[in-house]
Amino acid sequence: MLYQNRIFFILYLFILGVSAFFLATWNKTDLHLAVNHMNSDVADFFFKYLTHLGDGFAYLTVILTMLFFSIRKAMFLLGSFLGSGLIAQFMKHLIFSDSLRPVRFFENLANLHLVEGVTLHGSYSFPSGHTASAFALMFCLAILSPRQLMKALLLILAALIGFSRVYLSQHFLGDVVAGSLIGVLAVIPFYFWFYRGGYAWMDKRLSLTRFLDS
């Protein structure tokens, strides 16, 4: 698994290294403000809509579509989605429930550039659930893809979705890094569960014809 997805892991480790550098050398306030000040109308539009690829709806759409190709693949995606989501929500609501999101954190400190039409939340900042879902989905798809280029593109897409959470002031960079780790690590046990066991019936797929006829 590690070798087959080496390009994904290499790029991911590079992104983690760069993120760790900024987290270690910048304080939380200055780092977020620096990102927030790098805005433009094009970036506002791009990240406003890209961020929705980390929504549960997007993930579930992929899962339902995958059922018509392979039940095993769909179950792999579903397990990874539920696993990453439960871990992120457990940490968010029970361990780090007092973590404020940028819009609340900067309420009396600075004026943030906010993107019109984006609903902002004030609490439960750490970790980023959107990022956890995005990385879990893209890592699953990378595992299922035989092409190294596609694996790289999926990692880049996951990173952009994670960055969108910072750009839109929904999360701090540390929240996003933690979310990405949750997403990637949550996939691994489900991969071994579904692809190192029996479950021969999962190699079947739903028939689109039968589905429409019903």
Side-chain angles (χ1 to χ4, degrees):
M1 174 185 168
L2 182 61
Y3 180 76
Q4 290 88 342
N5 296 283
R6 57 193 179 279
I7 188 65
F8 186 98
F9 284 114
I10 290 171
L11 289 174
Y12 181 52
L13 289 174
F14 174 76
I15 291 173
L16 279 183
V18 172
S19 299
F21 171 79
F22 282 108
L23 290 172
T25 56
W26 290 58
N27 65 55
K28 180 178 179 178
T29 302
D30 291 341
L31 180 57
H32 189 81
L33 289 176
V35 174
N36 186 255
H37 291 159
M38 295 187 300
N39 61 76
S40 68
D41 292 340
V42 173
D44 286 0
F45 179 85
F46 178 72
F47 289 117
K48 175 181 178 179
Y49 293 101
L50 179 74
T51 197
H52 292 298
L53 292 180
D55 292 346
F57 178 78
Y59 207 131
L60 292 175
T61 300
V62 175
I63 292 172
L64 292 174
T65 303
M66 196 63 72
L67 282 171
F68 296 101
F69 295 91
S70 167
I71 294 176
R72 184 186 301 276
K73 294 177 180 178
M75 293 297 290
F76 171 46
L77 286 162
L78 178 61
S80 300
F81 171 66
L82 293 176
S84 62
L86 287 173
I87 294 171
Q89 294 306 315
F90 175 81
M91 293 178 65
K92 185 188 294 284
H93 290 274
L94 297 180
I95 301 179
F96 302 101
S97 59
D98 59 344
S99 60
L100 297 178
R101 299 204 189 204
V103 68
R104 284 278 303 280
F105 183 88
F106 286 101
E107 199 167 29
N108 298 314
L109 295 177
N111 292 321
L112 296 176
H113 168 76
L114 303 178
V115 178
E116 185 177 355
V118 175
T119 301
L120 295 170
H121 304 284
S123 305
Y124 306 114
S125 186
F126 185 92
S128 169
H130 268 71
T131 306
S133 294
F135 271 83
L137 173 60
M138 300 309 164
F139 187 29
C140 284
L141 295 177
I143 289 174
L144 298 176
S145 173
R147 298 180 178 275
Q148 292 297 323
L149 176 59
M150 181 57 68
K151 295 176 190 291
L153 292 176
L154 288 167
L155 184 278
I156 293 171
L157 181 57
L160 286 173
I161 295 170
F163 182 76
S164 75
R165 307 306 290 166
V166 181
Y167 183 90
L168 297 173
S169 284
Q170 294 282 27
H171 287 283
F172 293 99
L173 180 60
D175 307 337
V176 168
V177 171
S180 74
L181 285 168
I182 291 170
V184 170
L185 293 176
V187 170
I188 296 174
F190 289 99
Y191 169 78
F192 285 103
W193 187 1
F194 288 109
Y195 285 92
R196 288 295 183 267
Y199 312 108
W201 63 270
M202 288 188 177
D203 292 321
K204 298 180 180 180
R205 61 188 178 90
L206 293 185
S207 170
L208 185 58
T209 303
R210 292 180 181 178
F211 179 76
L212 293 175
D213 289 342
S214 63

